[in-house]
Amino acid sequence: MNPQLKENLSLLLAQLAPTGCRLVAVSKTKPVNTLMEAYGLGIRVFGENKVQEMTEKHEALPKDIEWHMIGHLQTNKVKYIAPFVSLIHSVDSFKLLKEIDKRAAQNNRKLDCLLQIHIAREETKFGLDRQELFALLESPEFKALEHVCVKGLMGMATNTDNSAAVREEFKGLRLLFEEAREKHSSANFQPVELSMGMSGDYLLALEEGSTLVRVGSLLFGERQA
Ligand SMILES: *Cc1c(COP(=O)(O)O)cnc(C)c1O
């Protein structure tokens, strides 16, 4: 057993408890035995950002784990995760959503997704802007999909020490979530999840209403580059 993992997890869960926010343990690059230790400590929700890695870990690990895809997802890889994935956080186009719908149907499933919103100042991060979000939610093509349900929004803040700026980005995402919920809830858009916050900024995200924090290095230690 890794005593550090246990200690990090206890601290994190104590911080999450009063908020009701859930933990997605981001296990990318970590070996299966590390995930198994986390499983032994009660973790059942793991986040991965690569399709092949997630598929291999799913095969090797207990079947009551919820696998969350948090990284950029290519359309041609959806088929590999459609049989087992629990939540896709990183949907950033209608094209991708349509493919998820198709593969979900082939697996007799309805797949839960989040729409990724671009909130950071960095151009490198993926996601929809406000106008694209509303256009998607209003479109008849979206409403016609029968095998996906959009459960909320996800965003990644700018990687900066400026906590006021990060807070504003999270707050903006929460306001957008509330506006979308009020104006556009439908059979396919049932927003209850707001996925925001990582190791460096999850405390701010909690204060701004996150329901899912995606924490990796703070739990498992730094990843190798
Ligand atoms: C890697 C990753 C995280 C976790 O990052 P940490 O800083 O290690 O907590 C969260 N979200 C996404 C989308 C990631 O790719």
Side-chain angles (χ1 to χ4, degrees):
M1 248 321 148
N2 174 350
Q4 197 61 52
L5 175 59
K6 190 171 178 182
E7 197 179 310
N8 297 344
L9 179 64
S10 313
L11 180 63
L12 190 53
L13 291 181
Q15 290 168 326
L16 295 183
T19 70
C21 179
R22 290 188 299 147
L23 170 67
V24 178
V26 175
S27 48
K28 62 192 188 194
T29 78
K30 300 296 170 185
V32 160
N33 64 321
T34 301
L35 277 72
M36 203 54 218
E37 275 184 35
Y39 183 90
L41 295 171
I43 293 185
R44 292 295 178 274
V45 182
F46 290 93
E48 292 282 338
N49 70 339
K50 297 216 164 71
V51 164
Q52 187 175 351
E53 188 175 341
M54 188 164 98
T55 305
E56 287 169 8
K57 287 175 174 172
H58 166 257
E59 277 165 21
L61 287 162
K63 294 299 171 279
D64 61 340
I65 289 174
E66 269 188 43
W67 294 97
H68 288 206
M69 173 48 67
I70 62 170
H72 185 64
L73 180 58
Q74 285 173 284
T75 311
N76 61 356
K77 296 198 173 157
V78 173
K79 58 177 177 284
Y80 302 114
I81 62 169
F84 68 89
V85 69
S86 286
L87 182 65
I88 302 174
H89 291 231
S90 45
V91 177
D92 59 358
S93 70
F94 179 71
K95 180 173 166 247
L96 178 58
L97 202 55
K98 206 174 149 188
E99 175 68 13
I100 295 168
D101 182 78
K102 174 180 154 186
R103 299 299 178 181
Q106 287 175 351
N107 286 278
N108 294 311
R109 304 186 68 199
K110 189 153 182 161
L111 281 180
D112 288 340
C113 300
L114 305 179
L115 296 174
Q116 182 170 354
I117 307 299
H118 189 274
I119 58 171
R121 274 175 292 170
E122 294 126 313
E123 273 303 320
T124 50
K125 290 183 175 151
F126 293 99
L128 305 168
D129 64 24
R130 170 200 172 81
Q131 207 184 333
E132 291 166 332
L133 169 68
F134 288 138
L136 191 156
L137 294 176
E138 284 164 27
S139 73
E141 293 82 3
F142 168 64
K143 292 182 181 165
L145 300 179
E146 292 185 351
H147 297 273
V148 289
C149 186
V150 173
K151 306 293 270 189
L153 305 180
M154 180 271 232
M156 287 173 88
T158 306
N159 185 8
T160 171
D161 292 336
N162 182 346
S163 55
V166 170
R167 184 188 291 283
E168 280 311 302
E169 292 173 2
F170 287 150
K171 185 175 293 181
L173 183 58
R174 195 223 322 139
L175 292 173
L176 185 62
F177 170 85
E178 286 167 0
E179 186 185 351
R181 186 176 59 192
E182 277 157 33
K183 291 186 182 160
H184 297 296
S185 289
S186 66
N188 282 346
F189 183 52
Q190 302 277 323
V192 290
E193 302 289 6
L194 191 49
S195 168
M196 55 186 198
M198 322 188 352
S199 293
D201 56 22
Y202 73 98
L203 289 173
L204 287 170
L206 285 179
E207 288 176 11
E208 296 305 329
S210 177
T211 69
L212 287 171
V213 287
R214 310 176 309 271
V215 176
S217 45
L218 196 74
L219 269 180
F220 297 111
E222 290 299 324
R223 288 176 296 273
Q224 312 291 16

